[in-house]
Amino acid sequence: MYFSEEHQLFRKSLKDFLKKEVVPHIEKWEKSGTIERFIWEKFGEMGYFGLAYPEEYGGLELDFFYTVILLEELQKINSGGFAAAIWAHTYLAMTHVNKEGSQDIKERYLVPSITGEKIGCLCVTEPFGGSDVAGMRSTAVRKEDHYILNGSKTFITNGVYCDYMVVAAKTDPVLGNKGISMFIVDKETPGVTVTKLDKLGWRASDTAEIAFDNVKIPVENLMGEEGKGFPYIMQHFSLERLLMGINAHARSEYALDYTLNYMNERKTFGKSLSTYQALRHKFADLFADMEMCRDYNYSVAYRLNKGEYVVKEATISKLKSTKIADEVAYQCLQFLGGFGYMEDYPMARLFRDSRLGPIGGGTSEILREILAKIVIDKKDYKPAT
Ligand SMILES: Cc1cc2nc3c(=O)[nH]c(=O)nc-3n(C[C@H](O)[C@H](O)[C@H](O)COP(=O)(O)OP(=O)(O)OC[C@H]3O[C@@H](n4cnc5c(N)ncnc54)[C@H](O)[C@@H]3O)c2cc1C
């Protein structure tokens, strides 16, 4: 219903590309926690970073279902970390650059982000609390033709190996969430220090704690209007949450496909696992949940593509799809028995990687609160731009 013949051809060529260029390196990147630069450049050459961005800056300006395909196929090579590195650059950092960046910023950062020459990250979360975005403590104080940035960020995807950072900081701390602004900061600017964090899953991606110590940022690197950072972040959360919902249904689909093949082949007591009613019914339930999420997510993607502000729908998408993905990961691992627990089989990594779904980009608790405000308090969220 949502995918044309062109979409399907794109899916096929992307699948072939991932199989040939990415899959052979995944084990190495999962172990080293580093994704080599050459693949970023290849993604750039193929146009994958530019799917959603204007032709003027080297993008392809395609409809949102090309992004859906990119996200789905990235999940299906089963490295949540590799996928996260790619989509955090393409849809977290670059969305801000494209929406709020000046012409000059777009030329300096969006163009090389599309070609894969520059990698970006988005720095919102702080060690003092990620859920309470308005409570952030980093500050950027204006001094003549520059700002002085101080503070720290944590859990930042691509924070170690990136070239630039999109950073939220308070330009007017007294104003609370109305005093937050967004800046572009080159990683090599004096006063920026990054520390790589070790983590349960997403192991191919680098995750950083970042300190800013009197970092001098030129005024031209302010993104959009001063004091508008909070509404910008909230607005783009809709996209991020839908992306994470789509990722979740895609990894569920991948896990169920893999597991069904396994269950058909694995025999116990002389019969395939897929013949046991206890397992068949569990599998059928999970399959139904995955399809409900997938079709819901496609309908939200359709509305986003038409320009609707899908804050409620994206909240539901992430809340439900990540919950189902965790159940699928847990149960598919169980269907594989001891092999499910082994690193040589895909379910161990998928189980680890999936666990971030209900945490990153707004926890399930925070999403429930947003939904409660919309549904019970009738709060009407409006886009910033
Ligand atoms: C691997 C990884 C990659 C990430 N990448 C990025 C990135 O690229 N950029 C970025 O900015 N951030 C990133 N994050 C941060 C992520 O978005 C935050 O971890 C998340 O928003 C939660 O914030 P917190 O970890 O500080 O938890 P806290 O805010 O401390 O919350 C702790 C717990 O309390 C619950 N809680 C908090 N407040 C309430 C409340 N009012 N009601 C009910 N429950 C509540 C939360 O749901 C959670 O369960 C990443 C995190 C991880 C782990």
Side-chain angles (χ1 to χ4, degrees), residues 140-180:
V141 177
R142 177 89 191 245
K143 293 256 160 79
E144 295 156 10
D145 64 346
H146 59 268
Y147 290 85
I148 298 292
L149 173 65
N150 278 292
S152 53
K153 299 285 171 182
T154 198
F155 308 145
I156 306 304
T157 304
N158 294 342
V160 183
Y161 303 120
C162 67
D163 301 288
Y164 69 89
M165 303 164 168
V166 176
V167 182
K170 283 190 172 156
T171 36
D172 197 340
V174 183
L175 292 179
N177 68 15
K178 294 192 174 64
I180 297 174

Side-chain angles (χ1 to χ4, degrees), residues 61-195:
E61 235 174 303
L62 295 167
D63 68 68
F64 188 67
F65 280 93
Y66 285 90
T67 290
V68 172
I69 293 170
L70 178 69
L71 297 170
E72 289 184 331
E73 294 307 321
L74 282 171
Q75 290 301 310
K76 291 179 181 182
I77 58 171
N78 195 27
S79 168
F82 179 77
I86 298 293
W87 63 256
H89 165 66
T90 321
Y91 297 104
L92 304 195
M94 284 169 65
T95 296
H96 280 274
V97 177
N98 182 47
K99 292 278 183 190
E100 290 111 45
S102 61
Q103 182 69 18
D104 168 59
I105 287 181
K106 285 184 194 169
E107 273 157 23
R108 285 189 291 133
Y109 295 93
L110 188 59
V111 171
S113 293
I114 290 173
T115 59
E117 286 159 275
K118 278 192 176 168
I119 303 174
C121 67
L122 175 65
C123 307
V124 175
T125 305
E126 301 200 346
F128 310 101
S131 303
D132 180 11
V133 173
M136 70 173 62
R137 297 185 190 176
S138 294
T139 55
V141 177
R142 177 89 191 245
K143 293 256 160 79
E144 295 156 10
D145 64 346
H146 59 268
Y147 290 85
I148 298 292
L149 173 65
N150 278 292
S152 53
K153 299 285 171 182
T154 198
F155 308 145
I156 306 304
T157 304
N158 294 342
V160 183
Y161 303 120
C162 67
D163 301 288
Y164 69 89
M165 303 164 168
V166 176
V167 182
K170 283 190 172 156
T171 36
D172 197 340
V174 183
L175 292 179
N177 68 15
K178 294 192 174 64
I180 297 174
S181 305
M182 304 299 292
F183 298 91
I184 283 244
V185 180
D186 286 311
K187 200 188 85 186
E188 296 309 325
T189 314
V192 177
T193 323
V194 301
T195 310

